[in-house]
């Protein structure tokens, strides 16, 4: 089943493209000193009018076919690299978005996959870990957040089962609130234990 779905995605990938625009901002403190540098990923549809003063595009890349499939679900950064994800795997590249530093093609842990987990949603980064939401198809009976090491992209063995009453429509994305160390999803906020 998994192989059949992967083959279908590869066939669909012939027509698939994905773009990544890197936008950077820096606040000047002195003539040669910058602080508060931030990096943000945005879709190709981001128009110049949406970018506020102080932000400017520093790079734009278009990925085709297999590269687009590996990078087409979500993206996060630890400030030193880009971490992309597909429905099944994780990919870490340099800040150029091209040089591959680590890859985990089948990142869904066996214990989650055995419950039907077959889709990684949009990921987030915090404190050396990638937080990946994992759904089980259209059933949405076993939503999880799984943690991966940012350098190796290997599963850390830590995952959080999410309450079904809060995740009726699955868990398509996650964001980590670093100040409160909590997960933020469309349906609510969960405090990490």
């Amino acid at each position: 089943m998994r192989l059949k779905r992967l083959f279908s995605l590869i066939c669909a990938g012939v027509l698939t493209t994905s773009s990544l625009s890197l936008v950077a901002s820096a606040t000047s403190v002195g003539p040669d000193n910058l602080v508060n540098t931030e990096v943000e990923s945005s879709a190709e549809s981001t128009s110049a009018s949406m970018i506020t003063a102080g932000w400017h595009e520093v790079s734009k890349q278009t990925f085709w076919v297999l590269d687009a499939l590996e990078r087409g679900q979500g993206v996060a950064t630890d400030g030193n690299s880009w971490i992309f994800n597909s429905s099944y795997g994780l990919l870490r590249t340099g800040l150029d978005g091209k040089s591959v530093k680590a890859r985990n093609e089948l990142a869904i842990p066996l214990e989650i996959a055995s419950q039907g987990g077959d889709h990684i949603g949009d990921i987030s980064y915090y404190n050396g870990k990638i937080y990946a939401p994992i759904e089980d198809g259209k059933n949405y009976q076993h939503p999880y957040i799984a943690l991966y090491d940012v350098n190796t992209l290997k599963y850390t063995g830590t995952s959080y089962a999410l309450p079904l009453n809060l995740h009726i429509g699955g868990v398509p994305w996650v964001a980590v609130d670093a100040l409160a160390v909590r997960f933020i999803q469309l349906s609510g906020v969960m405090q990490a234990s």
Side-chain angles (χ1 to χ4, degrees):
M1 168 89 167
R2 184 181 257 182
L3 188 58
K4 183 179 176 184
R5 186 169 179 195
L6 182 60
F7 180 73
S8 297
L9 289 172
I10 291 171
C11 290
V14 172
L15 302 174
T16 304
T17 64
S18 179
S19 283
L20 173 69
S21 295
L22 307 180
V23 181
S25 172
T27 305
S28 179
V29 173
D32 299 322
N33 196 8
L34 297 175
V35 298
N36 195 23
T37 301
E38 298 178 20
V39 177
E40 175 183 295
S41 168
S42 65
E44 184 175 17
S45 63
T46 302
S47 66
S49 63
M50 293 176 63
I51 300 173
T52 60
W55 289 88
H56 62 280
E57 185 176 277
V58 295
S59 173
K60 181 177 179 177
Q61 297 173 18
T62 300
F63 302 104
W64 298 94
V65 191
L66 294 178
D67 285 336
L69 285 173
E70 271 191 314
R71 294 165 171 86
Q73 182 65 42
V75 64
T77 185
D78 62 358
N80 298 309
S81 58
W82 288 108
I83 301 91
F84 297 94
N85 74 286
S86 66
S87 294
Y88 301 108
L90 299 167
L91 175 73
R92 185 169 66 91
T93 70
L95 289 176
D96 64 2
K98 296 178 184 177
S99 56
V100 175
K101 295 183 174 197
R103 179 180 273 130
N104 183 349
E105 290 105 346
L106 297 174
I108 298 174
L110 184 58
E111 59 267 24
I112 296 174
S114 68
Q115 295 180 52
D118 65 355
H119 179 263
I120 300 173
D122 193 6
I123 60 175
S124 189
Y125 167 81
Y126 172 68
N127 198 26
K129 304 286 183 276
I130 296 298
Y131 290 71
I134 301 177
E135 301 177 316
D136 56 335
K138 295 181 179 166
N139 298 322
Y140 305 126
Q141 294 301 301
H142 305 284
Y144 280 89
I145 302 292
L147 276 60
Y148 297 83
D149 178 86
V150 73
N151 293 313
T152 65
L153 302 181
K154 293 184 191 264
Y155 177 55
T156 64
T158 300
S159 62
Y160 300 94
L162 303 176
L164 289 176
N165 63 330
L166 295 178
H167 301 281
I168 297 166
V171 57
W173 60 271
V174 65
V176 178
D177 177 348
L179 296 177
V181 190
R182 59 186 176 183
F183 312 134
I184 302 171
Q185 300 111 24
L186 190 57
S187 57
V189 175
M190 294 209 38
Q191 194 74 31
S193 54

